[in-house]
């Protein structure tokens, strides 16, 4: 799913780069699903490094991936249902956008403007929430027998 998320995010970012409604963060939307297995921390490191290479950033996304992974581990609850993943991913979107925007503002790459930040946050919600729902059902069907309980929905 990670590779598919990279490909979809790249394609959609290329074709939708001038829209204000759809800003995909598909790779980030996988993190809560990956926290279900303790062995995935190495995978998160590899994904973060690859995401930095893909986006020409220096360890910013790696740091954000690790923070979101830890945050997701901290909030991991026993009732893994779709609402949990939606809430976690909404928090991820807000956290990612705010931290990323603050880092870029601090480095004087962009000028801080709260309206631009809020627009950037809400423009990421729709497509990423839909993708989270799709991911939930894909993960449930493919690896759900190892990770999820029978009483999910």
């Amino acid at each position: 799913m990670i590779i598919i998320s990279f490909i979809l995010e790249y394609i959609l970012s290329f074709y939708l780069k001038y829209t204000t409604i759809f800003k995909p963060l598909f790779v980030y939307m996988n993190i809560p699903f990956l926290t279900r297995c303790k062995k995935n921390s190495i995978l998160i490191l590899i994904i973060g490094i690859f995401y930095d290479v893909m986006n020409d950033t220096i360890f910013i996304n790696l740091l954000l991936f690790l923070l979101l992974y830890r945050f997701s581990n901290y909030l991991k609850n026993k009732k893994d249902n779709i609402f949990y993943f939606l809430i976690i991913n909404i928090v991820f979107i807000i956290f990612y956008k705010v931290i990323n925007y603050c880092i870029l503002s601090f480095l004087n790459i962009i000028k801080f403007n709260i309206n631009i930040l809020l627009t950037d946050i809400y423009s990421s919600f729709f497509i990423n929430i839909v993708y989270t729902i799709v991911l939930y059902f894909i993960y449930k069907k493919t690896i759900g027998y190892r990770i999820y309980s029978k009483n999910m929905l």
Side-chain angles (χ1 to χ4, degrees):
M1 278 315 298
I2 299 294
I3 295 169
I4 293 170
S5 297
F6 270 113
I7 293 168
L8 280 175
E9 185 171 329
Y10 179 75
I11 291 170
L12 286 177
S13 294
F14 180 74
Y15 287 111
L16 301 175
K17 62 183 162 189
Y18 298 112
T19 67
T20 58
I21 301 173
F22 303 116
K23 296 203 176 176
L25 295 171
F26 294 160
V27 178
Y28 279 95
M29 298 300 105
N30 282 282
I31 293 174
F33 299 101
L34 296 175
T35 59
R36 301 294 160 237
C37 183
K38 293 181 182 182
K39 297 176 184 176
N40 286 334
S41 56
I42 304 280
L43 180 62
I44 292 293
L45 286 171
I46 294 168
I47 294 168
I49 291 169
F50 188 72
Y51 205 78
D52 276 327
V53 169
M54 191 173 96
N55 291 316
D56 295 330
T57 55
I58 302 172
F59 301 117
I60 293 173
N61 288 305
L62 174 63
L63 175 67
L64 288 171
F65 267 97
L66 291 174
L67 287 172
L68 292 173
Y69 181 73
R70 288 290 186 191
F71 181 71
S72 183
N73 267 334
Y74 179 73
L75 292 179
K76 184 169 43 173
N77 77 21
K78 302 299 180 199
K79 293 183 189 176
D80 291 334
N81 59 35
I82 196 165
F83 301 111
Y84 165 76
F85 290 108
L86 286 173
I87 290 169
I88 288 295
N89 281 339
I90 288 170
V91 170
F92 276 15
I93 292 167
I94 294 169
F95 181 79
Y96 171 78
K97 293 293 185 177
V98 168
I99 296 297
N100 202 15
Y101 196 80
C102 288
I103 290 171
L104 293 175
S105 295
F106 179 74
L107 296 174
N108 288 327
I109 295 172
I110 58 173
K111 200 165 203 150
F112 187 80
N113 184 341
I114 193 71
N115 290 332
I116 293 173
L117 175 61
L118 294 175
T119 302
D120 198 29
I121 290 171
Y122 85 76
S123 67
S124 298
F125 279 152
F126 178 73
I127 197 164
N128 290 304
I129 288 172
V130 169
Y131 190 69
T132 298
I133 294 168
V134 170
L135 269 181
Y136 172 79
F137 288 109
I138 290 172
Y139 273 109
K140 182 180 172 190
K141 290 290 183 190
T142 58
I143 60 173
Y145 65 92
R146 285 185 283 162
I147 296 174
Y148 299 109
S149 66
K150 299 282 185 198
N151 301 324
M152 290 188 74
L153 294 174

